[in-house]
Amino acid sequence: MNRTVTLDDWMLAATAVVAGILAAFLSRMLLRWLGKHALRTNWSGDDLVVAALRTLVPWGATAGGIASAAAVLPLTPSVGHNVNRTLTVLLILVATVAAARFVAGLVRSLAQSRSGVAGSATIFVNITRVVVLAMGFLVMLQTLGISIAPLLTALGVGGLAVALALQDTLANLFAGVHILASKTIQPGDYIRLSSGEEGYVVDINWRNTTVRQLSNNLVIIPNAQLAGTNMTNFNRPEQQMTLLVQVGVGYDSDLDHVERVTTDIVAEVMTEITGAVPDHEPAVRFHTFGDSRISFTVILGVGEFSDQYRIKHEFIKRLHKRYREEGIRIPAPTRTVALQQGGTALSEEAIQAAVFPEITVSGIPQQREESNPAAQPPHASRG
């Protein structure tokens, strides 16, 4: 200290500090006002910029006021150097935190715009945040006069040992990076694994993937296991999907009439039920002559995987009601059994009670192929 500190020195220093604090307060209010206007825009980048400035500018103004106060006071060179270095380290720390938030938010915004869903792929967000914080920490050490070259050498040697000890963790990390980079799945997709787990992908972090089932239970799957298993993604290449419903009608039905009625119900469901695809073309395809029915497949359009249950529910209800109104029969499998005992035919009630107590014997005979009566057992007749 070259001279004694006077009252004027203290007044000037206090004025500089107060001016810095006042500038920090006013800048924070201005940035808060800018943040409200930034929320009204469609671009999310301005929100990130304002949020970063709200952290950096007030601290910078305060540090500037303190630095001005230190310059006014007659401090010794060593004390002045220490004050300036402390303020510089503080600004580097604040700038590093603000930059980490900005870059992480930018990566999160980019991931959301690429996948088109709500949610975040935190593996990329965490990696970028750690990288920015590590760079700021190294710069801060360099500012303090600490050489970072030995530290980098030690980290390089120790990194090999850490990599060998954390093989599973690193395998999950790189598997998660590979999954997101290849766009195999994204947050918001509905997936089903060959092991049976299925649900919406909530998040992909550095170690595992979180899947939310339709029952709102969370399933945690390691990234390495997810990358090495067979998986069905119901959202790719597109979110819309087709739903196949199996139906059968009796042999006495007019198939043209059945097709018209079913097509009407499909068109009605597609236009009135939430989650259906209104421009879906109704499709009915007959394919099998069954034992008691002619089977066909109805193809419905579904907006996403979880909509299929509601659409199938409404379709079956309306189709059943319409078939009853039109007189279209949906037969159940039946069997007619006739037994003889001692030359006397048993009644259907006796057969049911004695042989098939759980089956109601129908009086509708099935078609029978002609065969040699002598080839039949003497105690049974054909049915």
Side-chain angles (χ1 to χ4, degrees):
M1 182 178 294
N2 298 326
R3 61 183 177 83
T4 305
V5 181
T6 64
L7 181 61
D8 293 338
D9 294 333
W10 286 114
M11 292 294 295
L12 290 176
T15 302
V17 173
V18 171
I21 296 175
L22 181 61
F25 177 75
L26 293 177
S27 63
R28 188 170 183 82
M29 291 185 61
L30 176 62
L31 290 172
R32 182 178 300 175
W33 178 79
L34 291 176
K36 293 180 180 179
H37 286 272
L39 292 174
R40 302 174 185 176
T41 62
N42 296 327
W43 184 49
S44 60
D46 53 357
D47 301 333
L48 300 175
V49 172
V50 173
L53 292 177
R54 288 181 63 180
T55 303
L56 182 60
V57 173
W59 281 100
T62 304
I66 297 175
S68 300
V72 170
L73 294 174
L75 303 177
T76 61
S78 60
V79 174
H81 176 71
N82 291 333
V83 171
N84 291 332
R85 187 167 62 176
T86 302
L87 293 176
T88 303
V89 170
L90 177 62
L91 288 179
I92 292 175
L93 179 61
V94 174
T96 301
V97 173
R101 291 178 180 177
F102 175 77
V103 175
L106 192 63
V107 172
R108 182 183 293 108
S109 177
L110 181 61
Q112 290 178 353
S113 63
R114 290 287 182 87
S115 60
V117 295
S120 64
T122 57
I123 182 172
F124 287 149
V125 175
N126 292 334
I127 289 176
T128 53
R129 183 184 289 115
V130 169
V131 170
V132 174
L133 290 177
M135 294 176 61
F137 177 72
L138 294 178
V139 172
M140 187 172 59
L141 292 180
Q142 191 71 26
T143 304
L144 291 173
I146 301 175
S147 178
I148 63 174
L151 178 61
L152 294 177
T153 303
L155 289 176
V157 175
L160 180 61
V162 172
L164 294 175
L166 300 177
Q167 294 184 25
D168 295 338
T169 302
L170 293 177
N172 289 323
L173 172 63
F174 289 108
V177 173
H178 170 71
I179 289 172
L180 289 177
S182 62
K183 295 185 178 181
T184 305
I185 60 174
Q186 294 288 334
D189 291 351
Y190 192 95
I191 62 173
R192 175 184 295 163
L193 306 183
S194 59
S195 54
E197 296 87 354
E198 63 177 87
Y200 288 99
V201 178
V202 177
D203 191 20
I204 304 174
N205 57 37
W206 62 275
R207 188 178 185 277
N208 50 54
T209 297
T210 304
V211 175
R212 178 176 58 84
Q213 297 178 326
L214 294 179
S215 58
N216 280 334
N217 296 323
L218 295 180
V219 180
I220 310 301
I221 306 172
N223 291 332
Q225 178 182 345
L226 185 65
T229 187
N230 296 331
M231 176 183 60
T232 302
N233 191 334
F234 292 94
N235 286 66
R236 301 185 184 275
E238 60 181 12
Q239 190 173 10
Q240 293 184 359
M241 55 179 293
T242 56
L243 173 63
L244 306 181
V245 180
Q246 305 299 326
V247 189
V249 295
Y251 277 93
D252 56 348
S253 303
D254 183 354
L255 297 186
D256 291 332
H257 181 56
V258 170
E259 184 175 6
R260 286 193 300 270
V261 171
T262 306
T263 301
D264 292 342
I265 297 300
V266 173
E268 178 182 318
V269 171
M270 291 296 99
T271 55
E272 296 181 3
I273 303 304
T274 303
V277 182
D279 57 351
H280 171 75
E281 182 179 356
V284 177
R285 299 293 181 264
F286 296 94
H287 55 76
T288 304
F289 288 101
D291 292 338
S292 59
R293 66 178 67 189
I294 297 177
S295 301
F296 60 94
T297 300
V298 181
I299 303 176
L300 306 173
V302 181
E304 65 166 323
F305 184 86
S306 60
D307 294 330
Q308 63 174 314
Y309 303 103
R310 178 174 58 257
I311 294 173
K312 184 186 293 186
H313 168 76
E314 289 293 334
F315 172 74
I316 292 177
K317 284 202 314 181
R318 300 188 183 198
L319 186 67
H320 180 261
K321 180 180 179 181
R322 184 68 179 275
Y323 277 6
R324 293 184 62 181
E325 294 175 353
E326 298 290 339
I328 300 174
R329 187 171 59 90
I330 303 177
T334 59
R335 290 290 185 272
T336 300
V337 180
L339 299 177
Q340 289 185 350
Q341 185 177 12
T344 303
L346 298 178
S347 64
E348 294 181 356
E349 292 77 3
I351 296 173
Q352 178 180 359
V355 183
F356 305 109
E358 73 282 2
I359 301 178
T360 301
V361 179
S362 173
I364 304 176
Q366 291 185 321
Q367 286 184 312
R368 296 172 294 178
E369 296 181 358
E370 295 295 333
S371 59
N372 187 2
Q376 300 296 325
H379 59 279
S381 63
R382 293 165 296 176

